Structure formats: C-alpha cells, structure tokens
Amino acid sequence: MGENLKYYVILHITILIWGFTGILGDLISISADKIAFYRMLISFISLFLIGFFVRKNKTITRREIIILLFTGGAVGLHWYCFFLSIKLSTVSIAVVCLSASTLFISLIEPLIFKRKFMFSELFISFAIIAGIITIFGFESEYYLGIITGLLAAFFAALFTVINGNLIHGISSFRITKYEMLGGTLTLFIILLVSGKVNSSILEVQPMDWLYLLLLGLVCTTAAFMVSVWVMKFISPFTVSLSITMEPIYTIILVLLIDYYRGTNQEKMSAGFYVGTLLIIGSIFVNAYLKKRARKKLILKNH
C-alpha cells in the first residue's frame, strides 16, 4: 500500500480535476450544446496530434471505426445533457443525477451481454431510484434539470457498457480519439439542425475560451491519459471505485466556491442530501458486493 500511495494520490487528483468539469460548465456562458461541442473538438484535436507520437500496435477495421463513432455520439449526447442539466438546475444536482449511471448500467449490461439480472444489482437499483425520488420531492423546481441529468446518466451508462466490450480488442487511446470525433460530429449536427452553425458560433468570450481549453485539455485529454497510465499500478476495480468519489468532490468544491462568493446558488434542502447519500451509498455497497463476489469466484477457481 505504501509503495502505491503516490499512485492513489495521483488518481484522486485526477478525479478532483474531473470534479471541476461541472464547475467549468457552470462558469462558461455559452449554451450547453456549444460547450459539449467545443470540449470534444478541443480534446479530439489534442488526441489527434498526440497520436503522431503513440505507437500503433494494430489497425482497426472500418466496422470498428463506425461503432466507435456511434459510441462517440452517445458520449456527445451525455455531455450535452450534463451541461444542460447544470444550466437548468445546479452543478450539485447535475453530478448527483449522473451517479444514477450505475442504475442504468445494471439494466443495460445484462441486455447487451445476455446475462441474468443479479439480485444485488436490482436491490441497489431500487435504492438509487429511492434517492432520485427523494431529490425530486424536495427539489421539484429543478425537475427539468433532474430529467436531463438522468438522461446524461443513461448515455454515460450506454457508452460505458459498449466500451467495456470494445476495450478487449482496441486500445483505450484509439477508443477515446475516435469517440471524441464521433461526439464532435454528432454535436455539430445538433448545432446545424438548431440553426446555430453561423458566424455567431465563434463569438465566444476570452474567459470562456480559457475555460473551454481547460475543459478540453486538462479535464478531458490529460485526465484521461493519466487515468489510463495509473491503471498500470492500481487495479481497474480500485480505479472505478475511486471514481465514485467524483460527485462528492464536486459538491464539496461547489459549496466552497459558493461560500467564497457569498451566494446561495448551490444551497440545497436537507432532502437533497438525504437522496444524495442514498445514491452514493448504494454505489459503494454495489462496489463492495462485486468485490466480494469476485473474491469468491477466485477462491472457487483455485
């Protein structure tokens, strides 16, 4: 543990950086679809340039590229809904709703991988639903933000499950690069259909450009590359469990910023925090149960 301590610290610094995603989304003054579009475009360009220095082990087929581009579309819709949720409610509500992706994964994964629904996953799902209902009951004025936040969670679950299948044959770097391209194209189509592809698309305030660059380069490209690198020293399970801390870090950050500003924008009711504890607590219980099941399987095989 002591030997790997620095890698745990690096991992949690990375998760803390991800926690700034929602805060930057709140600070940027342009619309949610434009934020998501520029985030993915900046990230794709940076990954495309980095790709010249990355060793390519094998070529990927046209079919795999098409799947990656469509999966990237789901990533793009996820970020669009996430930033829209922030604009329609608060950062705290958006990140807590995003935690419901565990619920959607437990429903989607058995369908895609054709396995039975696990009782523990269904139990956890009901606990998450109870948490969402609690938040709905106490923060009903933000119902549109909650609905779009849950949509963001659904798309997050969708691309997570698909990537869980793709990662066995394609490098994580290539998956991310092509998915950033797919998401950029999807969001460009959304902007085109909504009539936002005109000269005004480049009318972005200097501070917004700075925040967008931080979002695309630091919170996306750099954080992704570090999270992949750290898996050489820490197990993927530990990484995925640690990522559940992201909403907690984000809520702490936004409350500190809110206090510093002297505003009450992120001040929520007691019911919101009860619902949040139900959701995040159930995610940790789910991780614990899966860890225990994995240990039993290992012992059984030995």
Side-chain angles (χ1 to χ4, degrees), residues 12-21 24 214 218-220 223 253:
H12 280 271
I13 290 171
T14 304
I15 296 166
L16 188 65
I17 289 169
W18 278 332
F20 278 98
T21 298
L24 289 170
L214 286 171
V218 180
C219 296
T220 308
L253 285 170

Side-chain angles (χ1 to χ4, degrees), residues 113-137:
F113 293 109
K114 295 181 174 59
R115 65 166 176 81
K116 290 182 179 179
F117 286 93
M118 295 171 63
F119 175 76
S120 60
E121 288 182 347
L122 290 173
F123 177 78
I124 297 301
S125 298
F126 283 123
I128 292 173
I129 290 168
I132 292 167
I133 290 171
T134 304
I135 293 172
F136 250 117

